[in-house]
Amino acid sequence: MKRDRLELGFGLLLVGLLLIIALAPGLFARSPDEVEVSRRLLPPSSAFWFGTDETGRDVYARVLHGTRTTLGIVGAAIALAAIIGGVLGAIAGFFGKISDLVLSRGADAMLAFPPIILGVVLAGTLGPGAGNLILALAVIYVPVFFRVARAAALTEATRAYVEAARALGYGEWAVLIKHASRNIAPTVLLQCVIVFPLALQIQAALGFLGLGVSPPTPDWGASLQESRNYMTSAPWLAIFPGLALLIAALATLLVGRVLQRRAT
């Protein structure tokens, strides 16, 4: 229990810090798009805490403003995937029969592809841009949420309260929406926390491959891609966006692990 409290406290502290930065990056740094060639590739200093990039932009500002972009894209994608996958999974698990068979086979087909490969195909087909990236990530994780919601719905369908609601004359849809969904939703929400660091890694990988947001929008994955030619001469260009990714993934991973252990 002490370990759980420590991990949860540390994770929530990091999550809170990330949210503060994401909601108000302008309070902590100058404009991320301010170009000044005369100060290009300056190392970290009191004037530029994380140094500057090849066009003289403040890396500290781009990392902080990139928090909103990166976390916003991943959060929106997971929310969309949770809604679509959760609804379809609940329907398949609660009603069964043909709907379960068709939806389950579709989810199995999508899960057969490695997430990063599927992400590259989808993002490459849709093209760069925040909206397309959100859609691509959502499609990747819809089958995951479908499986989780379906398993929870199968369990809830056999509960005594469901039988009692049916006996009172409630229709199947009414029982699912008004009663069973309340017990399915927490499982889906927990999965959001568990999936977040995984989706964050894929988002960063797609950004690194040039399939993320369009320049000059600050984004951690895109920043890593821009730093590839300066790994030895200006390592700070890769170090600080990489650390931001690590901290964000670690924060949500710790919170997710604690919540998962407590749920089981």
Side-chain angles (χ1 to χ4, degrees):
M1 292 297 295
K2 184 177 180 180
R3 178 186 174 186
D4 281 359
R5 288 195 296 269
L6 182 62
E7 288 185 352
L8 184 61
F10 183 65
L12 289 176
L13 177 63
L14 292 178
V15 170
L17 179 61
L18 289 170
L19 288 176
I20 291 173
I21 293 173
L23 293 173
L27 297 177
F28 305 98
R30 55 173 63 88
S31 170
D33 301 323
E34 183 181 335
V35 175
E36 182 57 62
V37 181
S38 62
R39 65 188 188 199
R40 67 187 301 270
L41 298 179
L42 294 177
S45 63
S46 58
F48 301 99
W49 292 359
F50 292 176
T52 61
D53 64 9
E54 68 276 11
T55 60
R57 295 175 300 187
D58 186 0
V59 176
Y60 175 71
R62 292 192 65 76
V63 170
L64 261 64
H65 283 261
T67 306
R68 174 184 293 177
T69 304
T70 302
L71 298 187
I73 288 173
V74 176
I78 290 178
L80 182 59
I83 293 171
I84 297 174
V87 170
L88 294 179
I91 292 172
F94 197 80
F95 293 103
K97 299 180 181 179
I98 299 299
S99 62
D100 187 17
L101 179 63
V102 173
L103 293 172
S104 294
R105 295 296 77 79
D108 291 342
M110 294 179 65
L111 288 170
F113 295 93
I116 184 61
I117 300 300
L118 185 58
V120 169
V121 172
L122 291 171
T125 302
L126 295 172
N132 290 338
L133 188 55
I134 290 171
L135 183 59
L137 289 172
V139 171
I140 293 172
Y141 287 101
V142 162
V144 176
F145 285 101
F146 171 85
R147 282 288 188 84
V148 170
R150 177 181 177 274
L154 284 171
T155 301
E156 295 304 316
T158 62
R159 301 287 190 187
Y161 76 88
V162 171
E163 297 297 332
R166 288 169 176 161
L168 291 173
Y170 286 96
E172 293 295 313
W173 282 102
V175 175
L176 173 60
I177 295 172
K178 294 182 179 180
H179 302 284
S181 62
R182 299 177 183 178
N183 295 323
I184 298 172
T187 305
V188 175
L189 291 175
L190 174 60
Q191 191 65 26
C192 291
V193 182
I194 297 172
V195 162
F196 194 95
L198 304 176
L200 182 63
Q201 295 174 46
I202 294 179
Q203 191 272 350
L206 294 176
F208 182 81
L209 294 173
L211 300 173
V213 297
S214 302
T217 305
D219 173 74
W220 294 342
S223 295
L224 290 174
Q225 193 268 347
E226 293 168 357
S227 71
R228 71 190 187 283
N229 295 325
Y230 303 95
M231 296 297 290
T232 55
S233 59
W236 56 86
L237 298 182
I239 290 174
F240 293 110
L243 284 175
L245 277 167
L246 176 63
I247 292 172
L250 179 62
T252 50
L253 179 63
L254 289 174
V255 174
R257 283 179 56 184
V258 173
L259 294 177
Q260 190 175 29
R261 285 201 296 264
R262 292 188 176 184
T264 56

